[in-house]
Amino acid sequence: MKILVINGPNLNMLGIREPDHYGKETYADLLAKIQNHCQAKGIEVEVYQSNHEGDLVDAIQKAYGTADGIVINPGAYTHTSIAILDAVKSVSIPTVEVHISKVEEREDFRQISYVRLACVKTITGHGTDGYLEAIDYLAEGMKK
Ligand code: DQA
């Protein structure tokens, strides 16, 4: 079972950017948290981050035939990118959308999520634990 975790723009700035919204854990902390969790559960995981929309599309396409599940936090591209939505639809890999902050309680422009239309589940406002919940959700689904 292999899961690909994809993070979009500015998520590499975790720990520095807007701690009131995103907490104090750094991106390196997030990587370690995901890797430790997956190791303990015997899940193969790859984590990818890019600030560039096309690179995120490439990463989703590359998952075709190699990953059993995708966890994606597209950052601000959540609210703008039809290309990322189409990429997730193209590969037909079960995908969970994660947001560290509670986007539904933030600005109006954050209320649209294109990628959500192709996702089996959305987790918001659980901090970085949301990534682990998403991984567990996909892993449970794969056992069935
Ligand atoms: C985010 C929420 C987005 O609105 C924002 O642009 C981000 C992070 C989150 O994890 O809460 O970059 O996806």
Side-chain angles (χ1 to χ4, degrees):
M1 175 191 313
K2 181 170 175 188
I3 291 179
L4 173 64
V5 179
I6 299 177
N7 280 300
N10 301 308
L11 287 154
N12 55 319
M13 297 296 283
L14 282 180
I16 299 167
R17 73 181 293 212
E18 303 179 85
D20 289 351
H21 283 303
Y22 304 117
K24 289 188 177 152
E25 276 173 280
T26 64
Y27 187 66
D29 293 337
L30 173 63
L31 289 186
K33 190 169 177 169
I34 291 171
Q35 265 143 11
N36 290 339
H37 184 78
C38 288
Q39 199 172 15
K41 300 221 163 181
I43 299 168
E44 195 188 340
V45 70
E46 185 188 330
V47 187
Y48 177 79
Q49 189 274 332
S50 175
N51 294 322
H52 306 281
E53 186 176 15
D55 288 347
L56 297 168
V57 170
D58 286 345
I60 295 163
Q61 289 184 3
K62 264 173 62 186
Y64 183 72
T66 65
D68 304 299
I70 296 175
V71 173
I72 190 163
N73 181 350
Y77 288 136
T78 306
H79 318 300
T80 60
S81 180
I82 298 167
I84 290 173
L85 164 67
D86 284 350
V88 173
K89 281 187 175 174
S90 299
V91 295
S92 298
I93 298 169
T95 299
V96 177
E97 174 191 19
V98 170
H99 298 286
I100 295 168
S101 66
K102 215 173 176 78
V103 275
E104 60 273 26
E105 292 181 1
R106 299 182 64 192
E107 300 94 327
D108 286 352
F109 62 82
R110 292 184 209 275
Q111 304 314 313
I112 290 171
S113 168
Y114 288 102
V115 77
R116 191 165 303 169
L117 300 171
C119 289
V120 293
K121 188 176 172 68
T122 294
I123 297 168
T124 69
H126 293 185
T128 58
D129 286 351
Y131 291 85
L132 309 187
E133 289 168 34
I135 289 165
D136 289 346
Y137 179 85
L138 288 169
E140 271 307 307
M142 284 167 214
K143 279 190 211 153
K144 285 173 195 156

